[in-house]
């Protein structure tokens, strides 16, 4: 028996590096970083599913946390890194920017804080359960098994691709410990808070990404914590829409004069990246409308766009997760037909299945896929 000798790597930091949760390269530096005076971002590379960021604004003797993470374990790691900062300025206010679990399912770790969200987000949160995500993960496990069995049924490769995509996406996250702690202070429109003498504005900009999105604006430093209104180097996903609402939210960020922005997913950015995201939405809207009017289904239209040349010409094929256009085009179409509604668990499963196959085909099309069925 060979006993491996443990190598001790000495680091100047006590915290282990925050690397990508999903397989693949870590595309930007993760962990706690100071964005401006007394404003810190917790960044989780590489910004894909559940790899969400958070923000901390420190005032005199009190601080405000913007979002928790997808489960208690990830949230505890973040709070441990923040501990020296919040020792003299405890978190009195927790803001949940929207209803997606990767921005609030760690709330239980922030004891005693007032929890603020929009009324629209709070209404969606009240309907959620981590058990659903767990069931989704179990389904992926069952599919993975089916895909690996040497049965001569057609589309075994499809089943395998779906299982790898869904199972792989949920693998880094454990939901057993999650106990949902909902907002205690819902608001609508706009809310101005004083946190240790510091003025912080919460501005409702949804429905856009989800039904109840908000952005956090810190006027004294011209920094916005924009959450999932911004995906940087990662393809955005529009669950709720309308698209015009999302574009208006992005224009709002530019109008505020934000110089540095913390996205919900991806690295810290400036106004140039906000304009790029507006370009993406305008392109997708126009290109999808052309195809829908020509009689294609939303899924067909999205497939053509993701596998076509235009996406590469615009540079959007470089963003992670291009297959998310499937969901966004579905939302665009639903608004055009006046039948938009938030996806239920059934629609969610269907959307992930279709995204899995499109992600595989995109990888093959771009020649970056080494795996073949
Ligand atoms: Zn998110």
């Amino acid at each position: 028996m060979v006993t491996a000798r443990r190598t001790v790597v000495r680091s100047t930091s006590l915290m282990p590096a925050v690397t990508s949760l999903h397989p693949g390269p870590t595309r930007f530096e993760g962990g706690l970083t100071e964005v401006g005076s007394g404003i810190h971002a917790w960044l989780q590379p590489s910004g894909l599913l559940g790899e969400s960021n958070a923000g901390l604004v420190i005032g005199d003797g009190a601080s405000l946390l913007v979002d928790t993470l997808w489960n208690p374990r990830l949230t505890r790691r973040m709070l441990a890194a923040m501990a020296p900062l919040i020792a003299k300025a405890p978190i009195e206010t927790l803001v949940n920017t929207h209803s997606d679990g990767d921005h609030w399912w760690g709330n239980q770790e922030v004891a005693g804080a007032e929890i603020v969200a929009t009324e629209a987000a709070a209404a969606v949160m009240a309907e959620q359960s981590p058990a659903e995500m767990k069931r989704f993960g179990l389904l992926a496990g069952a599919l993975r098994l089916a895909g690996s069995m040497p049965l001569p049924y057609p589309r075994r490769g499809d089943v395998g691709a779906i299982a790898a995509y869904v199972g792989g996406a949920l693998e880094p996250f454990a939901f057993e410990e999650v106990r949902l702690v909902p907002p205690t202070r819902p608001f609508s429109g706009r809310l101005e808070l004083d946190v240790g003498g510091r003025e912080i504005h919460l501005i409702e900009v949804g429905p856009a990404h989800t039904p109840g999105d908000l952005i956090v604006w810190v006027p004294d430093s011209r920094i916005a914590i924009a959450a999932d209104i911004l995906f940087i180097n990662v393809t955005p996903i529009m669950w709720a829409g309308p698209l015009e609402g999302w574009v208006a939210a992005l224009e709002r960020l530019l109008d505020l004069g934000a110089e540095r922005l913390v996205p919900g997913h991806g690295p810290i950015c400036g106004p140039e990246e906000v304009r790029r995201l507006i370009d993406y939405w305008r392109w997708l809207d126009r290109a999808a409308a052309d195809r829908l009017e020509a009689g294609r289904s939303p899924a067909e239209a999205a497939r053509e766009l993701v596998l076509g040349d235009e996406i590469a010409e615009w540079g959007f094929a470089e963003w992670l997760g291009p297959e998310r256009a499937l969901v966004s085009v579905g939302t665009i179409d639903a608004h055009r037909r006046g039948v938009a509604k938030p996806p239920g668990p059934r629609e969610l499963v269907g959307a992930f299945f279709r995204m899995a196959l499109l992600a595989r085909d995109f990888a093959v099309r771009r020649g970056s896929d080494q795996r073949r069925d």
Side-chain angles (χ1 to χ4, degrees):
M1 198 177 115
V2 179
T3 312
R5 225 173 144 175
R6 278 190 70 190
T7 312
V8 179
V9 180
R10 293 211 178 275
S11 160
T12 47
S13 159
L14 292 172
M15 294 278 172
V18 176
T19 54
S20 190
L21 297 174
H22 296 295
T26 294
R27 297 207 173 200
F28 56 91
E29 199 175 328
L32 202 58
T33 176
E34 188 162 17
V35 194
S37 175
I39 303 183
H40 302 259
W42 174 261
L43 300 177
Q44 175 59 66
S46 293
L48 273 169
L49 185 81
E51 293 177 328
S52 46
N53 301 331
L56 180 70
V57 186
I58 299 173
D60 191 7
S63 60
L64 173 142
L65 179 66
V66 182
D67 284 340
T68 56
L69 307 177
W70 212 358
N71 66 25
R73 185 177 54 82
L74 289 168
T75 305
R76 283 195 296 270
R77 178 174 68 155
M78 171 178 80
L79 292 171
M82 290 175 172
L85 297 169
I86 54 182
K88 289 195 176 130
I91 297 167
E92 287 187 354
T93 312
L94 165 60
V95 175
N96 291 138
T97 55
H98 62 291
S99 51
D100 284 352
D102 56 333
H103 298 263
W104 77 281
W105 284 9
N107 279 6
Q108 70 202 68
E109 298 297 325
V110 189
E114 177 170 66
I115 307 176
V116 187
T118 64
E119 280 169 18
V124 180
M125 289 163 157
E127 301 292 316
Q128 289 176 358
S129 100
E132 232 133 61
M133 296 308 290
K134 243 184 96 180
R135 273 200 293 276
F136 199 24
L138 290 174
L139 174 65
L143 285 169
R144 190 173 280 176
L145 192 65
S148 68
M149 286 197 289
L151 299 171
Y153 63 87
R155 304 173 84 84
R156 185 157 67 89
D158 285 4
V159 174
I162 289 168
Y165 185 86
V166 178
L170 292 179
E171 212 145 40
F173 308 101
F175 301 118
E176 286 78 8
E177 269 190 273
V178 178
R179 184 172 50 78
L180 296 183
V181 179
T184 54
R185 186 178 177 187
F187 77 100
S188 69
R190 196 185 167 95
L191 184 64
E192 295 186 9
L193 298 170
D194 179 307
V195 177
R198 226 168 158 174
E199 203 182 304
I200 299 173
H201 299 182
L202 310 185
I203 305 167
E204 183 171 21
V205 292
H209 167 63
T210 63
D213 309 297
L214 69 81
I215 55 172
V216 179
W217 171 237
V218 191
D220 68 25
S221 52
R222 313 200 73 70
I223 288 171
I225 301 170
D228 283 12
I229 289 303
L230 283 183
F231 288 71
I232 302 302
N233 301 336
V234 179
T235 309
I237 190 163
M238 187 165 61
W239 295 113
L243 185 137
E244 303 78 59
W246 197 321
V247 170
L250 292 165
E251 283 169 346
R252 187 83 179 259
L253 287 168
L254 294 173
D255 290 345
L256 284 167
E259 286 161 10
R260 300 195 83 196
L261 303 101
V262 181
H265 297 262
I268 288 163
C269 70
E272 192 46 46
E273 286 85 351
V274 179
R275 287 185 207 105
R276 283 280 291 155
L277 195 48
I278 294 176
D279 287 344
Y280 174 82
W281 285 128
R282 295 221 163 111
W283 165 70
L284 193 75
D285 192 27
R286 198 185 54 246
D290 288 348
R291 284 160 181 82
L292 294 168
E293 274 156 27
R296 310 270 205 293
S297 73
E300 287 164 350
R303 252 190 106 71
E304 281 185 24
L305 293 173
V306 171
L307 300 178
D309 294 329
E310 273 182 45
I311 192 171
E313 284 158 19
W314 278 93
F316 302 137
E318 307 297 316
W319 293 357
L320 298 174
E323 71 279 6
R324 292 170 168 195
L326 258 174
V327 170
S328 302
V329 172
T331 304
I332 290 170
D333 175 65
H335 279 278
R336 284 165 61 90
R337 294 187 295 115
V339 295
K341 63 170 176 55
R346 239 188 135 84
E347 287 92 356
L348 211 60
V349 170
F352 272 89
F353 282 14
R354 284 193 297 277
M355 285 196 285
L357 298 179
L358 186 51
R360 179 197 58 187
D361 296 346
F362 175 84
V364 172
R365 163 90 167 83
R366 304 286 160 207
S368 62
D369 192 24
Q370 305 305 314
R371 295 162 294 137
R372 291 288 185 275
D373 292 318

